[in-house]
Amino acid sequence: MSDLALPTLQTEAKRERSAIGSLRIVQTASILVVALVIVSPLFMLVIASLKDDRFQILADMGSFRAFWVSNPTLSNFAEVSNLSGELAFGRYLLNSLFILACTVGAGLIVNSMAGFVLAWGSLRGRAVVLSLVIALYVIPQESIIMPLVIMVSRAGMTDTFAVQIVPWIASPLYIFLFYQFFAQLPKELFEAAQIDGASVFRIYRSIFLPLSLPALATVSILMGIESWNQYLWPILVTQTDYARPIAVAIATFFGQDSIYWDRAMAASVLMMIPILALYLAFQRWFVSSFIGSAVKG
Amino acid sequence: MTLQQPALAATAVAARPARRRDQSRLFQEVGMLAPAVILLTIFLVVPFLLSFWTAMTNQPLVPRPTPVRFIGFTNFLRIFKDDLFWTSLWNVSRFTFWILPVQCGLAFATALLLHQKLPFRNFFRSLFFLPAITSMVVVCVIWGTLFQYPTGPLNQVIGFLSGGHIQPIDWLGDPDWAMFSIVLLSAWQAYGFQMIVYLAGLQGIPDELYDAARIDGANALQRFWHVTMPGLRPTHVFVLVITTIQAFKLYTQVAILTQGGPKSSTETVVHYMVRSGFEEQKLGYASAVSVILFLIVLVIALLQRQLLRRFDV
């Protein structure tokens, strides 16, 4: 029986292997097509930002010259990265960076502490708080924005950095992500430290926080992208250039009648760099399984 | 009874410092939880409750000398009689109808490909995630140029591929095309997230299931239908629900590229809400729209729970 079955299984495997070989070519080809579709718009952006002549950019747009620059120049970047002047995107860039750093920094501390207490604390109402936090996740930012604008403008917070940072520090999603991460760590970690007489805060700070690098990285990336790309909220709460983030500045600039395509492209590339750096720095820990576990939650 | 007494006394003595420790532990835990709870209360719960209250008043954006009046469900009745609201709801439904297959399909297909042992797959994974970290404003700058009529890159590519048979399309200026153009750029921007979620889902399916299916003589297609697809059920539900909720909140791309036009063909619920609140200054009315938006999202989220429960995960 086994003598008979073995050869058939082998030929089967051989046939499957050659089928896999041709399949692999099809797969690689499709990946390259997808890559072309995904990357060429970004590539075009970078190329256009290196062209000084905005009329040339428009003329090139209709041909494959959109993907080629004969004499690249950084003059657009020099112009838009100024800190003062008409097209001073440097200022907005710094504003956005400051807002991002404060939001993510405070967000990591506040949300991880809450997640930790919800996972390992001894408070009696823990389960209730946890389910309340999860329930709050359903409320979309868009549907609280009207009253929130009124609240912050009554409080005189319009046009400040604080108004763009403080409301977005605590978030049900990130509390839940930290809770989930801490809860799956072994119970012995907590118990051993507790027997040694360490306080809850100490256990959190010196044992659990250093272990939570993947969670910190994931939340940093998600919060960073979210803060960096905020648009609706800052247009409602900033009226002057003082604390205006770069997204709003680019959109305002883009909405004008005579579009400086070259400058708009350069400002857009500038806007991509910091968040790209953040992503590349933390991507290693941006474990997909982490988001995967959120799927089931 | 008498035997237990000394034991009880002993615990009472030992319990005193323990209780103090318990108290300090409780104090610390409350302190660690407090910042999140306070912030969530002020910036999420209070405005959320206020939106229900504001929705039932005639509150204007700029305070007027006349007091704000409670007007019950008048705003809601007005909204239901407003054609523009129904148009906006119809438009986000159209948007959802297109974005689900385009974005989720692309994400699913790419994830399946990247799950294979292809060369450079980690590189591709990061590459495909690039648009997802790109700000929607920047995406609008890029696609605004791609959509140029009649000689923009997209029209040129289509003309080239069709040998000149397809006439240039006025992507953002033609009411029949504008929403679909918004779909294209939105799918391009956001699909990287879905792809990552699908990759996670695929990794969650145990290899043993595939081996078992192979031993049973299942071919690649059969393995896909009977192992991969059932294994991805919760992932599918999650991705579809998240995409639908996101679709109903469509705002930024519309605000920047079309302002709801042409002929209200890209007017969305959130854009309509912001317009009535801040341009027409009818805050109560806009809050009522935001309450309706919340109810829509709530229904979709509850639907997700029901679906997941039925799939028994």
Side-chain angles (χ1 to χ4, degrees), chain A residues 134 176-177 180 288-297, chain B residues 197 200-206 231-235 237-239 304-305 308-309 312-313:
Chain A
I134 293 173
F176 182 68
L177 286 181
Q180 240 188 355
S288 43
S289 63
F290 196 65
I291 295 190
S293 66
V295 173
K296 289 167 203 132
Chain B
V197 174
L202 286 169
Q203 273 158 20
I205 304 173
L232 283 181
R233 244 177 230 156
T235 317
V237 172
F238 178 78
V239 167
Q304 174 196 24
R305 279 189 60 162
L308 282 180
R309 201 166 292 162
D312 199 31
V313 281

Side-chain angles (χ1 to χ4, degrees), chain B residues 55-78:
Chain B
M56 299 203 189
T57 65
N58 64 348
Q59 179 154 7
L61 185 65
V62 186
R64 273 197 230 127
T66 50
V68 174
R69 262 185 322 119
F70 179 83
I71 55 170
F73 288 98
T74 316
N75 281 327
F76 291 94
L77 291 176
R78 264 188 218 142

Side-chain angles (χ1 to χ4, degrees), chain A residues 109-148:
Chain A
I109 299 169
V110 167
N111 294 315
S112 70
M113 281 198 313
F116 180 77
V117 172
L118 291 177
W120 293 104
S122 58
L123 287 173
R124 203 169 296 152
R126 217 158 44 109
V128 181
V129 177
L130 182 65
S131 41
L132 277 178
V133 166
I134 293 173
L136 287 181
Y137 177 55
V138 182
I139 305 173
Q141 191 200 344
E142 286 80 358
S143 70
I144 58 160
I145 225 156
M146 294 284 145
L148 203 52

